Amino acid sequence: MPDQPTDEVDVIDVLDQPCVIRMEYSPHRLEQIRRIVGARLRCWGLHKLVYDASFVATELCSNVRHCDGNIFEFAVRRTISGVRLEVADTSRELVVIPTEPPDLFQTGGRGLFLVAAQASAIGMTPTDTGKVVWAELDLDTIDAEPIG
């Protein structure tokens, strides 16, 4: 039988670990991502961030469809003041985080603008194999639970 945690500190250490998943992109995966985000945030007691973080995760992950490779890695990491969501893909094309509202008549390009509006911080980090697009949400920036 595997070792069981012997005290509360062991349990807390396990719960504070990031959730990292590697998967192939498919539109039906987005619902799975939202469920994973919700479960992990509730586990951490970050109930107020579930709605916004689920939206941000969906937008970040849906951008993988524009990459040559469909394999990506999604991570949910606890921060001191909230959560950090990361999507690593194999595209070397750097992402521009829009600071101005997109053209309403465009067929795309609104996702990262909306993510930037929801997140307390957003960015992109080039890697040896592609890039990581990330967003952070802080409890301080969330006013109230969504209605409905």
Side-chain angles (χ1 to χ4, degrees):
M1 177 157 33
D3 292 338
Q4 298 295 319
T6 55
D7 59 27
E8 190 173 314
V9 173
D10 290 338
V11 174
I12 291 171
D13 286 345
V14 171
L15 294 178
D16 284 341
Q17 294 299 312
C19 176
V20 181
I21 302 162
R22 186 172 174 83
M23 64 178 65
E24 184 174 357
Y25 176 79
S26 172
H28 78 273
R29 296 276 192 202
L30 299 176
E31 176 60 28
Q32 293 172 337
I33 292 291
R34 286 190 290 271
R35 289 181 187 187
I36 290 166
V37 168
R40 182 54 91 179
L41 267 57
R42 286 182 188 97
C43 180
W44 288 333
L46 300 175
H47 298 75
K48 290 176 101 177
L49 292 178
V50 170
Y51 181 81
D52 289 345
S54 296
F55 168 77
V56 168
T58 299
E59 290 298 327
L60 293 178
C61 290
S62 68
N63 285 333
V64 173
R65 73 183 184 278
H66 301 296
C67 300
D68 289 337
N70 282 338
I71 303 297
F72 70 101
E73 188 173 278
F74 174 72
V76 182
R77 301 180 191 283
R78 179 75 166 95
T79 65
I80 290 173
S81 57
V83 65
R84 180 179 173 114
L85 306 168
E86 302 174 350
V87 175
D89 62 43
T90 57
S91 172
R92 295 189 187 277
E93 184 177 337
L94 301 182
V95 174
V96 177
I97 309 298
T99 56
E100 297 291 323
D103 181 353
L104 294 176
F105 298 105
Q106 280 183 249
T107 57
R110 289 178 285 280
L112 284 179
F113 177 76
L114 296 172
V115 167
Q118 290 293 114
S120 55
I122 183 172
M124 191 267 322
T125 307
T127 66
D128 291 339
T129 59
K131 68 180 174 300
V132 175
V133 182
W134 56 268
E136 293 182 357
L137 288 92
D138 293 338
L139 284 170
D140 299 341
T141 60
I142 304 299
D143 292 330
E145 297 276 343
I147 298 172

